[in-house]
Amino acid sequence: MATLSPSAPTGQNNWYRGSVTLNMSATDDVGIDKFQYSLNGGAAYIDVPVAGAPASATASAVITQEGNTSVRYRAVDTSGNVAAFRSISVRIDTRVPAASYPAITDGHVGHVATLIPTRTDPTPGSGGVAVLNMYLDGKLVPPLPVQTSDLSLGVHKLAVHLSDAASNSAKYTQTFIVTTSFADVGTLIARFVTAGSVPAEVGAALQAKLDQAKALADAGSAKEARQVLNEFVSIAGDRIAHGSVRNTLVGDTRYLIDQLNGRLAPEPATGLKSEPAEGPKFIPDPVLAPLPHNPHADYNVLVFSKTTGFRHDHIPHTVAAIQKLGIAHNFNVDVYDPQLPTVTLPTSPFLSLDTLKQYDTIVFESNVGHPGPLNAITEQPNFEAYMHQGGGYVGIHGAADSFEIGTWPWYGDLVGGFFTSHPNGQNGFGQCGSCIHTEVVTEDKTHPATAHLPARWMTVDELYNFDRNMRADVHTLLSLNEDSYQRSLNSGNAATNPLQLMNGDHPITWCQNWDGGKAFSTILGHFRTQYYDDSFMRIILGGIETTADRKGANCSSYRETSLLIEADRAAGLLTAAAADAAGAALDIARDSYLATNYTTAIPALNSIVALANDKASGDAAARSELARQARELREWMQNLNRNR
């Protein structure tokens, strides 16, 4: 047999970032003469002698061969008998990945180029090179292709922090100079006309001047060419609105004028510089144990992470993090997950409604299953009844991938939408090969889960797409800026082939009042590092506290109010005329919200409040609830309008 030292890989993804010792052992009646090992599939063996021909022997060999090597090893006894070989995999990668920019030549690049770093991992390597961070002129930016047309002329720095699957890492900083040419300016004119930034007739006039100036310059008439270019500048200044488009065309043309005058400023040094950098940190699984029951706790929480499908590796980390929240914020935490035997309850709480009612909220933690992890006959009805009687639900990440689409529609409406796909990533992130960068937009800062967040912030996670756009149905708190990752450098060929996402509207965290209970879902949380980030855990805490009814939150939704109106109509609690009028006004408000015309939504909601205050509209209690919901929707729209 054989073991490796160190026993645990020193890099990520089962790779070693240095030499590995192969420890071999064997027994034989006549004595061991030597061990042998092969690094090339048995084509050649290397001897490791054993002194004294013992009946039980050990020997070691240091393996330094880079790559994923199937090491064969065997023992040879003193009679020359050779044991059948055995194999052990040794994965070694000690070399950092490299970056280059093919579009940059001698430190120069034109004003209409696209900068995409070529990332290579020395062969044989671990591969999976990821851009952990990217900086443009010292500012952290999403790892996307850089359009030089978005940059000013002159010197810039573009830095990428790379890591391979083994977590070998380096930072590469490219200093380069953006220049322009007659051809570049022509391309810019065409782009701006196509985009509607420059009227077609103005573009034609500018192109005519540009062509005239180039012809003069090519003929050696620099003075006349400069005069025509000055006319170009006048046309752009007079006929293009003030802004970046006019500034770009004028700036590029003045560059051409200075070039013809021989007055370009001296150029600084350019080139590509590398420096050492830290790779992703390995986070081992925590040792889990039940949280002792606190009889003086404020409330009780159940974490449900049983899976019957894909098993997310962050689950133990999520359980430990929620237990930590329970200790810090005085709530009890029970766990039901038979795949976590050291911490789980012995039997499913979902088998009894009375058992479920002991919990103020239930956290569905990446409980992936197809079929789902709750039995349709013995467990699902109890959970529905629990919610109907005022229960709480928190869905984290793979909770949206629980149950086959169409098999439990009620749950799909509760979680908000079912998972359909996600973009791929690179193993260079370490323990999240499907993660990519994204910019998150905080849409509603009034909720306790989001009040601490900036308006826009960057994270790295696995980003789900859904079977529906849930915006009209739920109260969106956070959404993804798809422009920040649709061409991610870390997702296959997305840099040149944009990812197929959610058509630009991508809620990722939301809340709602659903079927008598309170629900909160965040579909972030795949990457185990999130559960060691205080800001992210404050999102989870806010979901727990609001669904457990310990903190208030405006989780109004247009679906909730629409269902109320139709239920009151059917029960005769609203007159048909009042229900028709309220439904029509709600449609206007919802459509205005979806179009981000919040000021149009507000008067429509005011009309519902006025209708509900009219005694002729129906039952007093029904009218009161309708008015309350309309006011909450109005408050939501007002907050969105203030923060846009």
Side-chain angles (χ1 to χ4, degrees), residues 423-439:
N424 294 321
Q426 299 292 338
N427 286 331
F429 278 112
Q431 293 159 301
C432 191
S434 54
C435 284
I436 55 178
H437 296 75
T438 185
E439 182 182 60

Side-chain angles (χ1 to χ4, degrees), residues 101 103-104 108-116 136 144-154 156 158 176-180 184 187-188 191-192 248 252:
Y101 288 90
I104 299 174
H108 293 73
V109 65
H111 214 182
V112 292
T114 301
L115 300 182
I116 299 176
L136 180 59
L144 300 171
V146 173
Q147 305 297 329
T148 59
S149 57
D150 294 333
L151 305 178
S152 61
L153 296 174
H156 295 275
L158 186 57
F176 62 99
I177 297 171
V178 178
T179 65
T180 195
D184 284 355
T187 300
L188 289 170
R191 286 184 183 177
F192 293 148
T248 296
D252 278 39

Side-chain angles (χ1 to χ4, degrees), residues 571-589:
L573 299 176
L574 285 178
T575 66
D580 286 344
L586 188 70
D587 288 344
I588 292 172

